[in-house]
Amino acid sequence: TNAGSEPEERVLEAALRPRNLDDFVGQSRVRQQLSLVLEAAKIRERTADHVLLSGPPGLGKTTLSMIIAAEMNAPLRISSGPAIQHAGDLAAILSSLTEGEVLFLDEIHRMSRPAEEMLYMAMEDFRVDIVVGKGAGATAIPLELPPFTLVGATTRAGLLPGPLRDRFGFTGHLEFYAVQELELVLRRSAMMLDLSVTSAAFTEIAGRSRGTPRIANRLLRRVRDWALVHKLEEIDHKAASAALDMYEVDARGLDRLDRGVLEALCTKFGGGPVGLSTLAIAVGEETETVETVAEPYLVREGLMGRTPRGRIAMPGAWEHLGLAMPKDAIF
Ligand code: ADP
């Protein structure tokens, strides 16, 4: 997933990752269910069932896969759908797994079809057929695999073909975090970064974090930079909001893509309804990005609606953009 751009940012992001389920903030239902799956596997002395995690970027899917491996006392291998273009790429990974290993496949919906088919068999029977040769002379050589746990991550479970989805023993859907939960994430991060931050500043940063821990941590680092340059000992509400205004994060946490989508919806399409792909073209983004990154948050914030005829702007959208709602808008 899209980690911070600079290496230093990535190191910090890694350092801020919670290492066990108890330190993982929020998502209480997924946490409880997952904890049960892992406990049961430990009692039965078996590898845990395959786990599918779905949800927008930055909500903790990678972190949870690391926690699963740690809780199972197992090594973790990380790869991703886009990195597996040929069945052979997957065969190479699978054949080098050790018993009980956790394999994390990020963006699993982006795997190629042949690799996907190989994965079905590996998940179900811990076996793959390695095809040697081409055409009429091709032979399939069966290869036994040690039992392993696959943790697949996808931005939306619906992007996965049914047969693949069905092979996961447990599916956890991650939701956007509440402001209070993001405050907890931020408090923990501030402690680790040795920053002094007031409660009001935590609330301000959390409120602008788009319900996303990765963004919360990133904004905290930007606010930290601001405080450093302005020689502030303590980060207060004023400093936090001044810094975030400068980085163009608005009061509701909408980023450039979110605002672009809303603006296009309101100004180019009169508030809709408009098809998702048309909307994506208008903002110059891939349909999947608009659907899995921008839309979930805009819908949750009540700014955009989904109808059978397309996406529509909700009354709050015009208000948020400071525009007058046209009389013939769908609302
Ligand atoms: P994803 O894989 O869903 O894109 P990550 O697992 O990479 O998201 O999480 C991004 C960052 O957000 C991590 O560095 C981690 O520090 C933080 N984070 C995510 N979820 C939580 C959580 N529940 N509690 C604390 N920090 C979290």
Side-chain angles (χ1 to χ4, degrees):
T1 27
N2 44 340
S5 40
E6 314 150 42
E8 193 228 343
E9 297 275 285
R10 247 169 309 178
V11 170
L12 274 177
E13 186 172 282
L16 296 178
R17 275 185 209 281
R19 311 229 174 261
N20 52 54
L21 273 183
D22 291 333
D23 281 349
F24 192 85
V25 173
Q27 312 290 350
S28 58
R29 205 147 62 142
V30 171
R31 211 151 29 94
Q32 275 171 17
Q33 293 167 338
L34 199 54
S35 159
L36 199 71
V37 170
L38 300 182
E39 279 307 309
K42 278 191 242 176
I43 293 170
R44 292 165 59 224
E45 296 181 21
R46 300 282 288 272
T47 24
D49 241 342
H50 305 303
V51 172
L52 178 65
L53 299 171
S54 72
L59 298 194
K61 298 182 293 295
T62 309
T63 306
L64 275 179
S65 78
M66 293 175 174
I67 291 175
I68 291 170
E71 300 263 341
M72 294 307 289
N73 233 329
L76 174 71
R77 181 82 57 93
I78 297 183
S79 189
S80 72
I84 300 176
Q85 280 320 307
H86 307 285
D89 300 335
L90 182 64
I93 295 173
L94 291 173
S95 60
S96 66
L97 292 176
T98 56
E99 181 157 351
E101 193 155 347
V102 174
L103 172 62
F104 177 63
L105 289 185
D106 202 3
E107 297 188 77
I108 192 169
H109 61 280
R110 293 201 160 183
M111 229 171 16
S112 72
R113 182 46 65 92
E116 207 173 87
E117 272 159 21
M118 175 180 274
L119 191 59
Y120 294 163
M121 198 199 258
M123 289 172 79
E124 210 157 76
D125 303 328
F126 298 113
R127 192 165 67 84
V128 289
D129 280 338
I130 310 274
V131 180
V132 186
K134 279 205 164 87
T139 352
I141 303 176
L143 179 71
E144 295 283 329
L145 303 172
F148 63 94
T149 298
L150 176 69
V151 180
T154 179
T155 37
R156 228 171 39 117
L159 295 172
L160 248 59
L164 182 54
R165 240 182 312 158
D166 293 345
R167 282 172 168 82
F168 287 96
F170 170 72
T171 301
H173 179 69
L174 301 190
E175 307 279 351
F176 287 111
Y177 291 70
V179 171
Q180 298 93 304
E181 292 170 338
L182 292 176
E183 283 180 35
L184 289 178
V185 171
L186 287 166
R187 279 179 194 279
R188 187 172 163 277
S189 302
M191 208 161 72
M192 296 179 78
L193 297 173
D194 204 16
L195 299 175
S196 152
V197 185
T198 67
S199 288
F202 278 129
T203 309
E204 182 66 24
I205 302 169
R208 295 203 198 191
S209 298
R210 236 186 149 268
T212 307
R214 172 180 292 134
I215 297 179
N217 283 334
R218 189 182 294 162
L219 295 184
L220 180 66
R221 297 193 295 261
R222 295 294 73 79
V223 172
R224 172 202 62 178
D225 293 348
W226 201 89
L228 192 69
V229 171
H230 291 80
K231 302 193 169 51
L232 300 177
E233 300 260 303
E234 186 185 61
I235 296 168
D236 59 8
H237 180 264
K238 205 171 128 223
S241 43
L244 296 178
D245 284 345
M246 203 187 88
Y247 288 108
E248 292 182 88
V249 186
D250 71 25
R252 258 176 120 154
L254 302 201
D255 62 20
R256 198 169 301 187
L257 174 64
D258 299 324
R259 272 196 304 267
V261 169
L262 268 198
E263 250 160 43
L265 187 55
C266 291
T267 60
K268 292 191 180 147
F269 304 105
V274 59
L276 189 71
S277 48
T278 310
L279 191 56
I281 291 167
V283 293
E285 269 296 343
E286 279 181 45
T287 307
E288 191 192 312
T289 308
V290 174
E291 184 173 25
T292 59
V293 180
E295 180 175 84
Y297 189 69
L298 293 173
V299 169
R300 191 194 80 153
E301 286 292 289
L303 296 171
M304 181 165 139
R306 267 191 298 234
T307 74
R309 290 172 51 224
R311 273 55 179 180
I312 56 166
M314 304 295 274
W318 274 278
E319 202 184 306
H320 186 72
L321 295 173
L323 301 170
M325 186 163 75
K327 287 196 182 59
D328 60 350
I330 190 154
F331 264 94

